[in-house]
Amino acid sequence: NTAPRFVRGPDSSIREDAGAQRIPAWATQISAGAPHESGQRLAFETVTDRPELFAASPAIETDGTLTYTPAPEAYGTAEVTVVLRDDGGSENGGQDRSEPDRFLIVVRPVNDPPQFVKGPDQNLRGNAGPQVVVDWARQISAGPANEVRQAFTFQVTADHPEWFLVQPALSPAGALSY
């Protein structure tokens, strides 16, 4: 039995939270070995050094299609080792595995938007004076756990700025003042 062989495709680079990936014909020139071994069944085996980056680990189908799904909010670089195995066995010095090959999957970080829950609309009579509504904005978050150290500010605009002596503003803690 001679070793199976294939030609691997390029490294892969995607954005965080990109969802399931399917890259047809990633592996090409897939062969069981010598011509008389063409009836052997083939299977790709993959292992990654960063399994935490994936909700569905990298896999290669027998037609050479590469598939994987990055884990939510995960980013970084994973090295994937791939071997093609046939069912011809290794008796008498035979080879049923290709040489290991390696490629990279790079999951690039994406800045997620900050979030908050707005408070109630404000209704006042004219000449009410300065107003401060503590905790008007609630559940304030800079984004997912990997972005909690980001600084943020609120940008507030009024559709009738002429109604205010001091324009509405929100503090990072969620206090509305106007």
Side-chain angles (χ1 to χ4, degrees), residues 98-173:
S98 68
E99 288 295 317
D101 205 341
R102 291 168 181 79
F103 67 98
L104 300 177
I105 296 177
V106 179
V107 182
R108 298 181 317 274
V110 173
N111 186 25
D112 293 292
Q115 298 178 350
F116 72 98
V117 175
K118 80 171 200 67
D121 291 342
Q122 302 294 296
N123 293 307
L124 299 173
R125 295 184 188 269
N127 299 321
Q131 300 293 307
V132 176
V133 183
V134 178
D135 294 329
W136 180 84
R138 300 175 318 283
Q139 299 176 16
I140 300 168
S141 169
N146 63 351
E147 297 178 8
V148 296
R149 295 187 180 179
Q150 291 179 348
F152 61 89
T153 58
F154 286 98
Q155 294 178 347
V156 181
T157 57
D159 60 348
H160 290 283
E162 69 277 6
W163 293 356
F164 300 93
L165 292 175
V166 174
Q167 294 300 306
L170 273 170
S171 74

Side-chain angles (χ1 to χ4, degrees), residues 22-23 26-27 30 44 46 48 63 75 82 96 113 118 126 133 136 142-143 149 170 174-175:
R22 183 173 180 78
I23 306 165
W26 179 85
I30 301 166
F44 284 97
T46 58
T48 179
D63 68 355
Y75 59 90
V82 60
D96 62 355
K118 80 171 200 67
V133 183
W136 180 84
R149 295 187 180 179
L170 273 170

